[in-house]
Amino acid sequence: MPVLTTAHLSLREMTRDDMPALRAILQDPETMVAYEGALADSEVGAWLTKNLTRYATDGFGLWAVELRSSGEVIGQCGITWQEIAGERVLEVGYLFNRAHWHLGYATEAAAACLDYAFETLLAHRVYAQVRDTNTASARVAERLGMTARTRFVKHYRGVEMPHIAFAIDRPGPEAG
């Protein structure tokens, strides 16, 4: 059952059956360049387990993104709790199979996730953390109306990675 739908996409909770699609994304060296390379099978399994745990504990997480026309899983996108510059914040994350880049799907899915964060979770602000070398992800954040708020360094896989924290505030007078 979809959590969210858009003109072209359905977003739903991932299941163990999504491992092949996750491997196609997370084990592609070009897709994973911002993460310092492809993930091993055990890391892909841990990635999936982490999201299954998020659904149980938070009620949301990264969701599988399917093309509505075919049901093919082409990526993942959703809302997660993250630490950015020492603060626990809601973040919209997006990561797609390279075969589906530059088609507007990341922006379409992430926009639906922002709506979910503001309307369902009643978030006042949502972030996107983008490695400073990842210009394509930065462009998605900007298309979503996000602006760069701060820079920070994230430690991941033994590497210090400079990041930009993009954010957007809840629309309307209750923004804060």
Side-chain angles (χ1 to χ4, degrees), residues 62-102:
L62 292 176
W63 295 304
V65 179
E66 296 177 335
L67 286 175
R68 288 179 62 186
S69 61
S70 66
E72 176 188 3
V73 175
I74 62 166
Q76 52 191 314
C77 186
I79 302 293
T80 60
W81 286 107
Q82 297 289 330
E83 185 174 308
I84 294 180
E87 183 181 354
R88 186 173 189 250
V89 300
L90 286 174
E91 186 220 17
V92 62
Y94 38 89
L95 187 59
F96 282 76
N97 184 304
R98 188 164 34 104
H100 299 280
W101 287 2
H102 308 297

Side-chain angles (χ1 to χ4, degrees), residues 41-52:
D41 280 341
S42 62
E43 293 171 307
V44 175
W47 184 287
L48 176 59
T49 298
K50 186 173 191 173
N51 278 291
L52 297 177

Side-chain angles (χ1 to χ4, degrees), residues 156-171:
Y156 185 71
R157 299 179 89 185
V159 177
E160 291 190 356
M161 301 178 183
H163 276 67
I164 302 167
F166 289 86
I168 188 169
D169 294 325
R170 180 188 191 116

Side-chain angles (χ1 to χ4, degrees), residues 83-85 91-92 94 126-135 137-139 141-142 146-154 161-167:
E83 185 174 308
I84 294 180
E91 186 220 17
V92 62
Y94 38 89
V126 179
Y127 286 84
Q129 57 183 328
V130 178
R131 190 162 179 187
D132 68 351
T133 56
N134 191 342
T135 56
S137 283
R139 283 194 302 269
E142 290 166 350
M146 297 179 135
T147 57
R149 304 289 175 99
T150 190
R151 292 180 173 269
F152 66 102
V153 175
K154 185 173 183 175
M161 301 178 183
H163 276 67
I164 302 167
F166 289 86

Side-chain angles (χ1 to χ4, degrees), residues 25-39 47 95:
I25 296 165
L26 300 174
Q27 293 184 327
D28 177 61
E30 188 174 340
T31 299
M32 296 301 289
V33 72
Y35 292 83
E36 289 297 308
L39 301 186
W47 184 287
L95 187 59

